[in-house]
Amino acid sequence: DWSSDVCSSDLDAFLRFLEEATFPASKNTPSVFLTDRGGIELCWEDPNGKPVQVEFTGTAAEFYNAATDEEGTVALDGLAQLSRRLSM
C-alpha cells in the first residue's frame, strides 16, 4: 500500500529532524499537526517568540521562519542542517 509508505516517510523525516532540533526551554512545547496534504507539521516559537514552522511531506521539508521572513523547501537529506539552522 503506497499510502502507508508516504506516511512512513513523513514520520521518518519528522523523527530525524527531532533528533537534531533544540527548542527554547523557556517557551511552550512545540505543536504537531497533520496537514490537509497528509504531511506532518511542527510549529514552535524561537527565543524571541517568533513562529517557526516545518512541514514534512515525505519527499522534502517546507519551512517558514518568521524572525527572518525566510521560507523554502529542503530535501530530506538536508534535515539535520535545517534543524540546526532553525534551532538557533
Side-chain angles (χ1 to χ4, degrees), residues 56-72:
F56 305 90
T57 65
T59 58
E62 298 175 6
F63 69 93
Y64 174 68
N65 184 350
T68 60
D69 198 32
E70 178 185 13
E71 61 183 291

Side-chain angles (χ1 to χ4, degrees), residues 1 10-11 13 18 22 25 29-30 32 34 42 44 48 50-51 56 60 66 78 81 84 88:
D1 179 9
D10 295 346
L11 185 58
L18 286 180
T22 304
T29 304
V32 178
L34 295 177
L42 180 65
W44 71 95
N48 297 314
K50 300 285 187 178
F56 305 90
Q81 182 180 9
R84 288 188 296 271
M88 296 181 161

Side-chain angles (χ1 to χ4, degrees), residues 28-88:
N28 294 335
T29 304
S31 299
V32 178
F33 304 95
L34 295 177
T35 68
D36 293 341
R37 300 185 306 179
I40 300 171
E41 185 172 346
L42 180 65
C43 303
W44 71 95
E45 292 181 349
D46 72 9
N48 297 314
K50 300 285 187 178
V52 180
Q53 299 170 306
V54 181
E55 181 181 348
F56 305 90
T57 65
T59 58
E62 298 175 6
F63 69 93
Y64 174 68
N65 184 350
T68 60
D69 198 32
E70 178 185 13
E71 61 183 291
T73 303
V74 174
L76 296 181
D77 62 358
L79 286 178
Q81 182 180 9
L82 177 65
S83 178
R84 288 188 296 271
R85 192 166 92 209
L86 296 177
S87 294
M88 296 181 161

